[in-house]
C-alpha cells in the first residue's frame, strides 16, 4: 500500500509514456513511465513476462533534461543510483530482471 500511495500522484497528475508497444505476447517486456515535469519526478515500471528470453531491456524514458542529474530509487529494495540526463537520453535506462518479475524505479531531478 505504501508503494501504491507513492505512485498515485504520478498516475493522477503526471504524463504517461508507454515505453514498449502494446502486445498480448508473453515473450516480451512491458514498460511505461509516469512523469511530473513540473517537479522533475516520476517513475518507470517494467515487467519481464514469463516467456521473455531477454534478461536485459533498455528503456527510453521521456522528459529528461541533458543538463540535469537524476537519482533513481527502487522503493522495494532501497537500491539507488544517480545518472546524468544526457546518458538517459542517449543510452536509455538499462533494466535487468529474472523471468516473470517486475520493477519500479522512482526518480527525481537533483538540484544543481
Amino acid at each position: 500500500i505504501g508503494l501504491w500511495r507513492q505512485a498515485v500522484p504520478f498516475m493522477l497528475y503526471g504524463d504517461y509514456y508507454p515505453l514498449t508497444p502494446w502486445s498480448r505476447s508473453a515473450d516480451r517486456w512491458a514498460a511505461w513511465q509516469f512523469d511530473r515535469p513540473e517537479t522533475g519526478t516520476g517513475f518507470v515500471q517494467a515487467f519481464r513476462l514469463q516467456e521473455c528470453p531477454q534478461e536485459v531491456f533498455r528503456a527510453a524514458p521521456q522528459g529528461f533534461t541533458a543538463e540535469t542529474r537524476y537519482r533513481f530509487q527502487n522503493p522495494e529494495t532501497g537500491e539507488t543510483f544517480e545518472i546524468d540526463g544526457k546518458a538517459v537520453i542517449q543510452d536509455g535506462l538499462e533494466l535487468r530482471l529474472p523471468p516473470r518479475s517486475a520493477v519500479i524505479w522512482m526518480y527525481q531531478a537533483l538540484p544543481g
Side-chain angles (χ1 to χ4, degrees):
I1 291 186
L3 177 55
W4 178 81
R5 286 187 178 160
Q6 281 183 296
V8 164
F10 299 108
M11 293 186 290
L12 289 175
Y13 308 113
D15 296 336
Y16 168 74
Y17 299 101
L19 302 179
T20 56
W22 185 89
S23 172
R24 288 180 177 237
S25 176
D27 65 351
R28 65 181 195 93
W29 283 77
W32 47 79
Q33 171 191 7
F34 286 91
D35 180 68
R36 297 205 49 199
E38 70 280 4
T39 62
T41 59
F43 72 86
V44 172
Q45 183 176 22
F47 297 84
R48 181 178 172 195
L49 300 175
Q50 62 267 22
E51 296 173 19
C52 180
Q54 289 178 280
E55 181 180 338
V56 176
F57 172 72
R58 192 165 294 276
Q62 304 297 302
F64 284 75
T65 305
E67 306 79 32
T68 304
R69 188 153 181 86
Y70 294 85
R71 175 177 294 125
F72 282 78
Q73 179 182 24
N74 181 323
E76 294 179 307
T77 66
E79 179 184 358
T80 64
F81 68 91
E82 292 183 10
I83 189 169
D84 291 324
K86 183 178 180 180
V88 174
I89 294 166
Q90 288 179 347
D91 304 326
L93 182 63
E94 184 178 286
L95 303 170
R96 183 179 303 269
L97 290 173
R100 198 174 176 183
S101 60
V103 68
I104 293 179
W105 285 101
M106 308 292 261
Y107 62 83
Q108 67 181 48
L110 297 175

